[in-house]
């Protein structure tokens, strides 16, 4: 399968714990995006990488959130000291030469109890 | 700033009847517009895209959309609904600049009745 993959698919954690999600984009894609989607809403942009450089961060991304893409391939999104309001679906997308054509992974559903 | 408004949060049709999902956009420049579909427990899938070429865009699964600049609309249509079309549909506009982040509508839930 050459699509975007995300791991884990589901994560349940207690408030205050740290969590880390991984996204593996389509191999030749140089741009990678993270979005967050809550129930009944469309996805909201969080951050964007071109290769290993993080070029934009949404103000939704508080200082408890950090994202990396160390070698320009896979990316991680870490949430520290999770809060119940962090419960959401976290989506990763990648794109290649056509920047507006984004391919999405299945998402990681986070539940903070 | 770019934005999209999906005019209906829920649409219900009978199988075999036409589908119309409405979307208006706001953009300070010529936009790129998209429709994505999200089936339960599945990832988002691109249905079709408009990028300043033909105003009538055909997508997968028999869907199409027409870009109307004068009405700032990009409505999604299908002549005949199928049960498998039941899903959440998102109208999306591409942001400005090089990052091309996507700006999403709130979604329209399509139900198809037998």
């Amino acid at each position: 399968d050459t699509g975007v993959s995300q791991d884990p698919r589901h994560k349940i954690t207690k408030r205050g714990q740290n969590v880390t999600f991984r996204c593996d984009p389509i191999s030749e894609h140089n741009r990678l995006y993270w979005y967050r989607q809550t129930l009944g809403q469309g996805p909201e942009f969080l951050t964007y990488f071109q290769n290993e450089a993080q070029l934009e961060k949404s103000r939704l991304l508080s200082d408890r959130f950090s994202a990396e893409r160390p070698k320009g391939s896979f990316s991680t999104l870490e949430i520290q000291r999770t809060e119940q309001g962090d419960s959401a679906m976290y989506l990763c997308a990648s794109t290649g030469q056509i920047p507006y054509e984004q391919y999405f992974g299945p998402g990681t559903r986070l539940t903070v109890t | 700033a770019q934005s999209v408004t999906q005019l209906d949060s829920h649409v219900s049709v009978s199988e075999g009847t036409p589908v119309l999902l409405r979307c208006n956009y706001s953009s300070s420049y010529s936009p790129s517009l998209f429709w994505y579909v999200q089936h339960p427990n599945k990832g988002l899938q691109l249905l079709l895209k408009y990028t300043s070429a033909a105003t009538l865009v055909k997508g997968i699964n028999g869907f199409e959309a027409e870009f109307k600049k004068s009405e700032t609309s990009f409505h999604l249509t299908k002549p005949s609904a199928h049960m498998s079309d039941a899903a959440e549909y998102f109208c999306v506009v591409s942001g400005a600049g090089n990052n091309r982040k996507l700006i999403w509508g709130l979604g329209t839930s399509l139900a198809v009745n037998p």
Side-chain angles (χ1 to χ4, degrees), chain A residues 31 33 37 56 101-102, chain B residues 36 49 98-101:
Chain A
R31 297 180 185 221
Y33 301 79
Q37 185 179 21
E56 185 171 345
E101 195 160 328
Q102 298 186 13
Chain B
Y36 278 82
K49 61 183 182 286
N98 289 329
N99 71 10
R100 298 293 185 174
K101 67 185 179 187

Side-chain angles (χ1 to χ4, degrees), chain A residues 30-32 48-55 69 72, chain B residues 98-99:
Chain A
N30 60 351
R31 297 180 185 221
L32 186 148
Y48 146 73
F49 290 85
Q50 180 160 326
N51 299 313
E52 66 276 10
Q54 187 174 18
L55 296 185
R69 195 182 182 198
Chain B
N98 289 329
N99 71 10

Side-chain angles (χ1 to χ4, degrees), chain A residues 102-113:
Chain A
Q102 298 186 13
Y103 293 84
F104 282 81
T108 295
R109 182 169 296 283
L110 172 66
T111 302
V112 182
T113 62

